[in-house]
């Protein structure tokens, strides 16, 4: 049974999908926003919206959705316990802080704003694409549309149905999150070496969370082998014990809200747009390959996709690819290549973690590391930290210029 035709169907009502639908509806488009879940619903996440995401949401008039703990400086803990403090500087177009806000609350607020703007919420599971544009739901309903935007996560049905994923190239990751009954005043990224010599192929975290609790988790990089994702679940209890040994958790705090999810990182293996199908957020692989941030990328990519569609359906895919290339290609071709190289070299990764978190190195490069690692160089305020970040990006760019990962990305975004 058909349910009408729209200018655009957005599949997935997380931050990427809701931001896309909101911008499209405000631009006068008829939008259907489809999600299989009933809201509010939770998602596995570190719950931190980065500075660019904060700026984007505030520009949309959604600052009220950011009712949470302000997150500024970050501490990186190395494999042997060394600690480097990464200061958070305000940029020219973003604030000097992020916000820790539970996805249960953030996603519901963004969805509410999209619906208020005129997007029609449809609850259902997408089974595939319609031959003449739009999506088919698994209950037999069809939603016709000029454009389909896939915002349905790392394992996107839309991306698969449109043939936009090369599974053998994707940089997969799996993250597992819990809430612990211990407060965290500063966000911590923990580079862990369970046996002291070989780094865990990913990182752990302890972030400020809601109601005096903390958000703790472990994310594992698996390259193209998704079977290795079980390692995060198996090792999470040991990692929580490691946080205790570091003095970051007191005793054996109760853990609740255990939830896991897949990530695609660095856009590798995913074509972000073709024809009349555009992918945003996790569906496009728009997750920082070095530290796993995804919410800011989700919101901003949704806005870029909406702008491309509103400028004209026929050229939307090309405009969107250009926008994403302009914002992310320079960083992700470097960061994705580093990710791919380090995940398969645990001893090298452990050594790098020890060096970077040693006291003299951490003090010397902490500011630049913060800007580069968090993909904030574009728009960073001039100063010593910006200079260090620029130098690091230039050196890393030379080292990774001929990497297969970098070449694939450059070709996919042209």
């Amino acid at each position: 049974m058909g349910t009408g035709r729209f200018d655009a169907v957005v599949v997935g009502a997380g931050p990427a999908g809701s931001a896309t639908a909101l911008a499209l509806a405000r631009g006068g488009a008829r939008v259907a926003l489809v999600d299989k879940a009933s809201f509010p619903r939770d998602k596995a996440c570190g719950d931190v919206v980065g500075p660019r995401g904060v700026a984007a949401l505030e520009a949309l008039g959604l600052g009220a959705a950011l009712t949470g703990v302000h997150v500024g400086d970050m501490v990186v803990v190395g494999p042997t316990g060394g600690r480097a403090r990464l200061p958070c500087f305000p940029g020219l177009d973003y604030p000097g802080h992020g916000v820790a806000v539970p996805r249960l609350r953030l996603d519901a607020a963004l969805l509410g704003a999209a619906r208020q703007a005129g997007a029609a919420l449809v609850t259902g599971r997408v089974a595939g694409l319609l031959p003449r544009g739009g999506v088919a739901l698994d209950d037999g309903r069809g939603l016709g549309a000029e454009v389909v935007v896939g915002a349905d996560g790392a394992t996107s049905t839309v991306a698969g149905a449109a043939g936009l994923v090369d599974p053998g190239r994707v940089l997969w990751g799996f993250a597992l999150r819990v809430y612990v009954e211990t407060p965290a005043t500063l966000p911590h990224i923990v580079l862990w070496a369970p046996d002291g010599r070989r780094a865990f192929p990913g990182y752990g975290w302890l972030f400020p969370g809601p109601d005096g609790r903390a958000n703790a988790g472990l994310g594992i990089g698996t390259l193209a082998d998704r079977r290795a994702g079980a390692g995060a679940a198996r090792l999470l209890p040991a990692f929580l014990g490691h946080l205790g040994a570091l003095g970051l958790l007191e005793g054996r705090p109760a853990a609740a809200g255990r939830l896991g999810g897949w990530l695609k990182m660095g856009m590798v293996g995913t074509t972000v747009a073709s024809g009349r199908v555009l992918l945003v957020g996790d569906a496009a692989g728009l997750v920082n390959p070095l530290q796993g941030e995804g919410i800011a990328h989700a919101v901003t990519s949704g806005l870029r996709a909406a702008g491309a569609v509103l400028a004209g359906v026929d050229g939307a895919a090309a405009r969107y690819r250009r926008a994403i290339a302009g914002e992310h290609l320079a960083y992700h071709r470097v960061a994705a290549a580093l990710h791919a190289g380090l995940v398969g070299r645990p001893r090298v990764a452990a050594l790098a973690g020890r060096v970077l978190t040693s006291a003299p190195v951490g003090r010397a490069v902490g500011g630049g590391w913060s800007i580069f690692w968090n993909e904030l160089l574009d728009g960073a305020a001039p100063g010593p930290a910006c200079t260090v970040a620029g130098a690091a990006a230039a050196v890393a760019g030379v080292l990774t210029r001929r990497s297969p990962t970098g070449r694939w990305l450059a070709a996919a975004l042209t």
Side-chain angles (χ1 to χ4, degrees), residues 59-322:
L60 284 169
L62 300 179
L66 298 169
T67 54
V69 179
H70 277 210
V71 174
D73 293 1
M74 177 180 292
V75 177
V76 180
V77 184
T80 53
R83 304 188 186 199
R85 184 158 177 153
L86 276 56
C88 188
F89 302 107
L92 302 176
D93 57 0
Y94 55 80
H97 66 86
V99 178
V101 53
R103 289 287 300 276
L104 189 71
R105 187 164 70 232
L106 176 68
D107 290 17
L110 296 184
L111 172 59
R115 296 184 70 183
Q116 187 174 19
L121 178 63
V122 178
T123 301
R125 187 181 296 270
V126 170
L129 301 177
L130 293 174
R132 295 187 178 181
V135 299
L137 306 185
D138 66 358
D139 61 5
R141 290 179 293 168
L143 300 171
E146 299 300 309
V147 176
V148 175
V149 178
D152 47 341
T155 57
S156 169
T157 297
V158 172
L164 298 180
V165 180
D166 180 350
R169 291 186 180 271
V170 173
L171 300 180
W172 288 103
F174 185 81
L176 194 65
R177 172 222 76 188
V178 294
Y179 290 118
V180 294
E181 300 296 333
T182 297
T185 55
L186 286 175
H188 285 73
I189 294 287
V190 181
L191 309 177
W192 184 36
D195 67 358
R197 297 170 298 165
R198 290 171 295 187
F200 174 79
Y203 72 88
W205 71 83
L206 183 72
F207 292 161
D211 307 319
R213 297 182 295 167
N215 181 315
L218 195 61
I220 186 171
T222 71
L223 300 179
D225 182 11
R226 290 178 62 187
R227 294 171 299 178
R234 185 177 67 253
L235 291 172
L236 182 62
F239 174 69
L240 295 177
H242 180 61
L243 291 179
L246 292 171
L248 298 176
L249 291 182
E250 298 177 0
R252 298 180 62 86
R258 176 170 165 146
L259 200 60
W262 285 100
L263 305 169
K264 286 194 305 187
M265 290 174 281
M267 298 182 286
V268 180
T270 301
T271 301
V272 300
S274 181
R276 295 195 174 190
V277 177
L278 286 68
L279 305 176
V280 295
D282 284 12
L286 272 164
V287 174
N288 187 316
L290 295 182
Q291 44 81 304
E293 179 184 7
I295 298 178
H297 299 70
V299 174
T300 56
S301 66
L303 299 181
R304 303 299 172 264
V309 171
L310 291 171
V313 170
D314 288 337
R319 282 190 292 273
Y320 179 58
R321 288 196 304 270
R322 287 195 296 270

